[in-house]
C-alpha cells in the first residue's frame, strides 16, 4: 500500500480560515472534486467538518471503481479495491485497513440522508493521491493504478471523420478579469486515428451568428487555444490572461461567453465540434469594456526610485462608468496572484491615481511612489504593473491584465511583441514568424534576442533563465530603427534545447540587449502558437483599380475594384491598402500595418467594388484628401490552417483626388442643464454634424442671451481658443459636457442667474474646404446651485459619569446629495454667531465625521478639540452643531443645523 500523507499535513491542507466554527457546513465557495481529470457531480455537495473535507461515500467510491457495501445493522461502510479493504463505522473515530486499526480525527457522518466520509483518509487508504487547492476549493484525486474503464460499445465512425468530445465543462476559477480566470474540462475524443489536436474556442453569448463547425474552421489561430492530442483520457486546461474570443477581442470581465471544443482531424479527416454546456461570465455585473488594457511598464530614468517607472495603458473602451484609474506597482513574485479584491484593499499611499482624459495614457511615477506592499520603489527589485478602473464611488470596477516585468538599475527598455504566426510548412523553426514593436529609444540597446519557450514552461521563464541559455536556443536580431517582422532561422532550438516542431504549444519572448551600463530586459510572453503541417496556400486577388468617384475630399471619394482569388477556400477576408503614388508596399510591410491604415472587406464569393469611408487613411497613417495621387493594393488574409498566411496583389493604376466646397453647419444644437454643481460643468451640449467632409474641428461657444442677437459668423471666427470648447471632427452625433472653467465668447466666467445660449462653429480644414459655418443658437439656459437639507433634533448629553458629551441628531427626511455629517462642538460664547460659513471653514480633526443612515451620534471627551481647534475643557459650556456635507455631484452646498442646548463636562 502506498504510504499515506501524515494527518498533521492533512489538517493544515484542509483547514477553512476565518468565521465562526460550526460542526459541518457547505463551504462559501462550493468544493469541487476532480477524479483523474474529470469533475465529479453528486446530489449532496462536499462539506467541511472541523478541518476535514467530507464527501458522499457512494458517489466518490463508485467514480473510483471501488466496491462499496453498507451494513445498516452495524452502520458500517466497507470499501475494497485492488486487495485493500477499509472498514469504517459511522460515528466512530477508529477504522480498519486490512484488519489493522487506525485512528481518524473526524468520524464518518450521516448528513441529509447521505453517508459522508473523510475524503483524504479513505482515498489514500485505497492507494490514491489527493491534492487540495485552497484558492479554488478543489480536491484533485489521481488513482495510482489506472482505473479499469469498461469497454464501450463501439460507435461506428464515418470514414475520414473524427468523433467529437462528449462534453465541455467551462468554469470561472479566478478574479483577474481576463482569460486566465477560465478553466475548461473535457474528455478525449473516442477517435484513435486521424485526430491531430483540440481547439478551445470562446464565443460571446450575445453573438447572433450560430457558432458552427464551418465557422470554427475560419477562426484565426490567435483567437483559439490549441491542445495537442495525447494519450490522456481527460483534459483540464486553464486559459491565459492574453486569451482572446473568436472575434479577436481579449476575454474580459462582465461579458457572457460560451466555450466550444473542436476535435481537429488530420489530413483526410473531418473535424467535429462540441457545443458549450452553458454560459459563463467573468467577474460581476460591470461592463467588460470598463477595464484598461495593454498595460506596459518602462524604465525611463536612473534615479533608482519611482521616477524611473513610466506606465502606459489603453483607456477603457467604455468610460461612462469610469471616474479615473489607479496604477499599482506589484512585486513580480506576487503579481500572478494579484486580483481585483486585493487591489481594492490597497491603501491610497501605495498606488498612483490617474484622472480619465478620454485618451490612452502614459504616467510617470513620483520619487515617493510605493509598491502595493508599502515599500518605496527601489533598485534591484522586479516589478509588474496593474491598472484598475474606478467609479465615482471609488469602487474598483475592472482590473487590467498584468504588464511586463521591470527591474530597476540601468535596465534597457522593453520590447512589445505584437504577433506570432505560422507562415510555412518546413516543420521546424522556419515556420514561426515573430512581430514586435521597436523600442522608441534604441540608444540604450545593442539589439534584440528571440526565445521560443514551450507554453507549459512559459510562466517560469524569466530574465535570469533567458540570460543563461546557450546561443543555439535563441536568435539574435540587430536593431534597425524599424518595427520588426522576423521569420526564425532553421535549426533554432526552444529554451529546453529541443527542436521546434509541429503540434507543440509555444510562447515567444524578446529580450532587449542593454549596451554600456544598461542591463538586459525581457518582454512579456506572446500569445500561444502551435505550428501545423497543414496546407497554407492562399489565393491572390488581382486586377486592382482605383477611381475618384465623389467630391467629399476624403476617403469617400475613393472606390477600389478587384478580382477575387480564384480559390477562396483558405481566404478569410481582404484588406485594401491606399498608398501615395510615390510609395511602394511589400507583403511584410502590409502585414505590419495597424487596422487604422487599411480597409477590411469580407469575402462574398464574387469580384468586389468597395467605396472607402470618410475616416480612411493611407499606409502612412494620413487621412485621404484632395490634391494627392494614390494607388491601391489588396491583400488576401488566410483562415483555418492558413490563418497566418497572406498574399498581396500588384498595385493599381494611380488616381488624383480633386474638388473643394464649403463646410455645412451642424443642426439640432441643444444645451441641457443638470443643475447639480452650479457651474458650467452642469451644461451638456448636443448637436448633429451635417457633413464632416473638409472639416477640421467643431467649436462650442457660449454667448450671453442679451448679446446673442448680434452674434454672427464673423464674431464666431474671432473668438479666441480660451473662450470656446473644441470638439474633434466626427461624422456622428455629438454630446459634449462643458467644464467648470468654460468661459463665454468674451472671456468672462459663466455665472449663475444669467441667461446664455450656445452656438457651434464648423471649422474648415483649409484644404478640402475653406469657409467656416455657424449653427443656429440653442435654447436659453442659466446656472443654478443645489443645497442639501440640514439635520434636526441635535442634542448634547453628558455621559460616562459626566466626563463626555454625546451628540446625537436626526438626519433630514431628504438625504439626497449628502455624503456625510460633520459633528462639532462650539463654545457657548461663540455659538450665537456661528454660521454655515464658519462651519465650512472648520478643518479636521476639529470635527467628527459620521456616515450611513443609522449611525448618527458621536461622543466627545477632553481628548478631542472643539471647532476653534482648542482642546475641549471641563467646566466650559458647549453647544453642538451638525453640518450636512454635500457630495459635490448631485449637490454642492452644505447645510448647518441649529445649535443644541448647552452641555458641560464636569471635572472629577
Amino acid at each position: 500500500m502506498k504510504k499515506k500523507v501524515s494527518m498533521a499535513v492533512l489538517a493544515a491542507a484542509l483547514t477553512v480560515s476565518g468565521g465562526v466554527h460550526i460542526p459541518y457546513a457547505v463551504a462559501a465557495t462550493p468544493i469541487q472534486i476532480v477524479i483523474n481529470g474529470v469533475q465529479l457531480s453528486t446530489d449532496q455537495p462536499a462539506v467541511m467538518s472541523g478541518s476535514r473535507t467530507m464527501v458522499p461515500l457512494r458517489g466518490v467510491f463508485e467514480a473510483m471503481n471501488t466496491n462499496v457495501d453498507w451494513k445498516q445493522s452495524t452502520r458500517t461502510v466497507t470499501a475494497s479495491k485492488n486487495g485493500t479493504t477499509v472498514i469504517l463505522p459511522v460515528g466512530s473515530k477508529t477504522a480498519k485497513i486490512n484488519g489493522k486499526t487506525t485512528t481518524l480525527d473526524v468520524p464518518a457522518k450521516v448528513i441529509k440522508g447521505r453517508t459522508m466520509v473523510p475524503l483524504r483518509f479513505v482515498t489514500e487508504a485505497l492507494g490514491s493521491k489527493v491534492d487540495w487547492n485552497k484558492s479554488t476549493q478543489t480536491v484533485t484525486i489521481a488513482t495510482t493504478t489506472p482505473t479499469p474503464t469498461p469497454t464501450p460499445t463501439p460507435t461506428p465512425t464515418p470514414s475520414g471523420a473524427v468523433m467529437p468530445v462528449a462534453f465541455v465543462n467551462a468554469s470561472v476559477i479566478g478574479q483577474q478579469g481576463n482569460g486566465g480566470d477560465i478553466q475548461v474540462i473535457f474528455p478525449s475524443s473516442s477517435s484513435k486515428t486521424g485526430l491531430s489536436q483540440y481547439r478551445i474556442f470562446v464565443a460571446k453569448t450575445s453573438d447572433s451568428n450560430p457558432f458552427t463547425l464551418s465557422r470554427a474552421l475560419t477562426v484565426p489561430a490567435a483567437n483559439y487555444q490549441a491542445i495537442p492530442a495525447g494519450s490522456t483520457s481527460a483534459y483540464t486546461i486553464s486559459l491565459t490572461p492574453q486569451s482572446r474570443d473568436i472575434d479577436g477581442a481579449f476575454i474580459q470581465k462582465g461579458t457572457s461567453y460560451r466555450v466550444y471544443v473542436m476535435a481537429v482531424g488530420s489530413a483526410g479527416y473531418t473535424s467535429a465540434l462540441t457545443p458549450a454546456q452553458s454560459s459563463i461570465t467573468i467577474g460581476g455585473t460591470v461592463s467588460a469594456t470598463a477595464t484598461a488594457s495593454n498595460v506596459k511598464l518602462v524604465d525611463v530614468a536612473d534615479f533608482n526610485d519611482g521616477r524611473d517607472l513610466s506606465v502606459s495603458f489603453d483607456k477603457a473602451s467604455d468610460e461612462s462608468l469610469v471616474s479615473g484609474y489607479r496604477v499599482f506597482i506589484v512585486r513580480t513574485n506576487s503579481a500572478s496572484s494579484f486580483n481585483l479584491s486585493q487591489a481594492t484593499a490597497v491603501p491610497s499611499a501605495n498606488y498612483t491615481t490617474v484622472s480619465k482624459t478620454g485618451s490612452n495614457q502614459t504616467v510617470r511615477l513620483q520619487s515617493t511612489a510605493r509598491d502595493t506592499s508599502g515599500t518605496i520603489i527601489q533598485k534591484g527589485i522586479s516589478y509588474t504593473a496593474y491598472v484598475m478602473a474606478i467609479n465615482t464611488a471609488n469602487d474598483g470596477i475592472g482590473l487590467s491584465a498584468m504588464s511586463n516585468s521591470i527591474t530597476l538599475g540601468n535596465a534597457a527598455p522593453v520590447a512589445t511583441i505584437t504577433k506570432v504566426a505560422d507562415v510555412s510548412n518546413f516543420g521546424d523553426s522556419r515556420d514561426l514568424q515573430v512581430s514586435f514593436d521597436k523600442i522608441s529609444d534604441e540608444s540604450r540597446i545593442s539589439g534584440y534576442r528571440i526565445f521560443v519557450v514551450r507554453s507549459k514552461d512559459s510562466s517560469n521563464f524569466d530574465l535570469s533563465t533567458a540570460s543563461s541559455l546557450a546561443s543555439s536556443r535563441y536568435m539574435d536580431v540587430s536593431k534597425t530603427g524599424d518595427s520588426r517582422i522576423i521569420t526564425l532561422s532553421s535549426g533554432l532550438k526552444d529554451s529546453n534545447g529541443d527542436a521546434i516542431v509541429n503540434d507543440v504549444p509555444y510562447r515567444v519572448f524578446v529580450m532587449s540587449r542593454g549596451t554600456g551600463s544598461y542591463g538586459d530586459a525581457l518582454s512579456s510572453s506572446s500569445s500561444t502558437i502551435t505550428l501545423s503541417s497543414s496546407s497554407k496556400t492562399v489565393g491572390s486577388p488581382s486586377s486592382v483599380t482605383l477611381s475618384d468617384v465623389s467630391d467629399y475630399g476624403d476617403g469617400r471619394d475613393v472606390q477600389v475594384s478587384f478580382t477575387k482569388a480564384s480559390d477562396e477556400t483558405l481566404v478569410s477576408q481582404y484588406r485594401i491598402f491606399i498608398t501615395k503614388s510615390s510609395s511602394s508596399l511589400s507583403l511584410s510591410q502590409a502585414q505590419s500595418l495597424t487596422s487604422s491604415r487599411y480597409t477590411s472587406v469580407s469575402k462574398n464569393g464574387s469580384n468586389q467594388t468597395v467605396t472607402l469611408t470618410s475616416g480612411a487613411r493611407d499606409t502612412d497613417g494620413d487621412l485621404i484628401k484632395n490634391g494627392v495621387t494614390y494607388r491601391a493594393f489588396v491583400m488576401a488574409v488566410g483562415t483555418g490552417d492558413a490563418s497566418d498566411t497572406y498574399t498581396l496583389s500588384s498595385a493599381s493604376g494611380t488616381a488624383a483626388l480633386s474638388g473643394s466646397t464649403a463646410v455645412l453647419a451642424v443642426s439640432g444644437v441643444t444645451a441641457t442643464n443638470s443643475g447639480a454643481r452650479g457651474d458650467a460643468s452642469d451644461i451638456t451640449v448636443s448637436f448633429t454634424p451635417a457633413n464632416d467632409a473638409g472639416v477640421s474641428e467643431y467649436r462650442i461657444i457660449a454667448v450671453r442671451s442679451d448679446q446673442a442677437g448680434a452674434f454672427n459668423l464673423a464674431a464666431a471666427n474671432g473668438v479666441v481658443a480660451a473662450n470656446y470648447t473644441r470638439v474633434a471632427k466626427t461624422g456622428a452625433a455629438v454630446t459634449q459636457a462643458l467644464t467648470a472653467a468654460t468661459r463665454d465668447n468674451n472671456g468672462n466666467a459663466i455665472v449663475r442667474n444669467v441667461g446664455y445660449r450656445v452656438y457651434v462653429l464648423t471649422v474648415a480644414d483649409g484644404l478640402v474646404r475653406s469657409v467656416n459655418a455657424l449653427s443656429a443658437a440653442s435654447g436659453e439656459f442659466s446656472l443654478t446651485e443645489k443645497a442639501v437639507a440640514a439635520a434636526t433634533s441635535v442634542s448634547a448629553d453628558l455621559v460616562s459619569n459626566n466626563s463626555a458629551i454625546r451628540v446625537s441628531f436626526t438626519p433630514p427626511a431628504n438625504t439626497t446629495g449628502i455624503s456625510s455629517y460633520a459633528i462639532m462642538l462650539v463654545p457657548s460664547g461663540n455659538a450665537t454667531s456661528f454660521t454655515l460659513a464658519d462651519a465650512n471653514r472648520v478643518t479636521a480633526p476639529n470635527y467628527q465625521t459620521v456616515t450611513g443612515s443609522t449611525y448618527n451620534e458621536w461622543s466627545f471627551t477632553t481628548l478631542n478639540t472643539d471647532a476653534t481647534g482648542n482642546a475641549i475643557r471641563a467646566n466650559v459650556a458647549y453647544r453642538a452643531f451638525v453640518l450636512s456635507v454635500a457630495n459635490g455631484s448631485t449637490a454642492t452646498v452644505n447645510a448647518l443645523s441649529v445649535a443644541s442646548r448647552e452641555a458641560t463636562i464636569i471635572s472629577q
Side-chain angles (χ1 to χ4, degrees), residues 89 160 315 392 410 458 472 491-492 554 790 810 831 854 857:
K315 71 179 182 69
T392 54
N410 297 339
S458 61
S472 62
L492 182 67
D554 56 33
T810 300
T854 58
E857 64 176 42

Side-chain angles (χ1 to χ4, degrees), residues 132-450:
W132 168 252
N133 187 323
K134 183 178 180 180
S135 62
T136 61
Q137 294 281 296
T138 301
V139 176
T140 304
I141 303 171
T143 55
T144 56
T145 302
T147 303
T149 302
T151 303
T153 303
T155 302
T157 303
S159 177
V162 297
M163 294 300 293
V165 302
F167 65 86
V168 179
N169 185 356
S171 59
V172 177
I173 61 171
Q175 302 179 43
Q176 298 181 71
N178 55 44
D181 295 348
I182 297 178
Q183 183 183 78
V184 183
I185 298 174
F186 60 91
S188 62
S189 167
S190 60
S191 299
K192 303 302 181 184
T193 59
L195 180 66
S196 66
Q197 63 176 217
Y198 300 97
R199 294 179 185 173
I200 300 175
F201 301 90
V202 180
K204 297 181 184 72
T205 304
S206 59
D207 190 347
S208 60
N209 188 6
F211 191 70
T212 60
L213 176 61
S214 60
R215 187 179 177 194
L217 290 170
T218 68
V219 175
N223 301 345
Y224 61 75
Q225 184 156 332
I227 310 298
S231 59
T232 183
S233 61
Y235 294 82
T236 300
I237 306 297
S238 294
L239 304 189
T240 70
Q242 292 78 31
S243 293
R244 299 171 183 267
D245 64 22
I246 59 173
D247 298 323
F250 283 108
I251 296 171
Q252 294 184 335
K253 176 180 177 181
T255 299
S256 178
Y257 297 100
R258 294 186 184 275
V259 178
Y260 301 75
V261 172
M262 181 168 69
V264 181
S266 302
Y269 288 82
T270 302
S271 302
L273 184 70
T274 300
Q277 301 293 102
S278 60
S279 62
I280 58 172
T281 302
I282 298 173
T285 59
V286 178
S287 170
T289 55
T291 302
S293 60
N294 196 26
V295 182
K296 297 177 183 177
L297 187 60
V298 180
D299 182 0
V300 293
D302 294 319
F303 295 103
N304 296 322
D305 58 31
R307 291 171 292 178
D308 292 358
L309 291 182
S310 173
V311 181
S312 63
F313 61 91
D314 292 349
K315 71 179 182 69
S317 57
D318 177 6
E319 286 190 314
S320 60
L321 296 177
V322 176
S323 66
Y325 300 91
R326 293 176 185 171
V327 175
F328 300 93
I329 305 300
V330 187
R331 295 193 177 208
T332 300
N333 58 10
S334 303
S336 61
S337 60
F338 191 72
N339 56 41
L340 183 61
S341 61
Q342 290 177 325
T344 304
V346 172
S348 59
N350 301 345
Y351 60 74
T352 298
T353 300
V354 181
S355 300
K356 76 172 182 180
T357 64
S359 303
N360 299 334
Q361 304 222 33
T362 299
V363 181
R364 177 85 172 270
L365 302 191
Q366 301 296 316
S367 61
T368 55
R370 299 173 182 268
D371 64 25
T372 52
S373 71
T375 304
I376 290 286
I377 293 170
Q378 56 193 278
K379 178 179 179 180
I381 296 176
S382 180
Y383 296 106
T384 300
Y386 283 87
V387 176
M388 180 174 73
I390 59 173
N391 59 21
T392 54
N394 286 324
D395 297 325
I397 59 174
L399 186 67
S400 72
M402 72 175 73
S403 74
N404 56 292
S405 296
I406 285 289
T407 300
L408 299 186
N410 297 339
V414 178
T416 301
I417 300 174
T418 56
K419 187 177 182 181
V420 288
D422 181 2
V423 295
S424 296
N425 285 315
F426 294 104
D428 59 27
S429 52
R430 291 172 293 176
D431 295 352
L432 185 53
Q433 186 181 81
V434 181
S435 303
F436 61 92
D437 291 341
K438 79 173 187 72
I439 293 169
S440 57
D441 178 9
E442 289 187 316
S443 64
R444 294 157 62 180
I445 68 167
S446 61
Y448 303 94
R449 187 167 286 177
I450 298 176

Side-chain angles (χ1 to χ4, degrees), residues 116 185 272 339 393 477 545 580 652:
M116 308 292 284
I185 298 174
N339 56 41
V477 178
T545 62
K580 297 180 178 71
S652 71

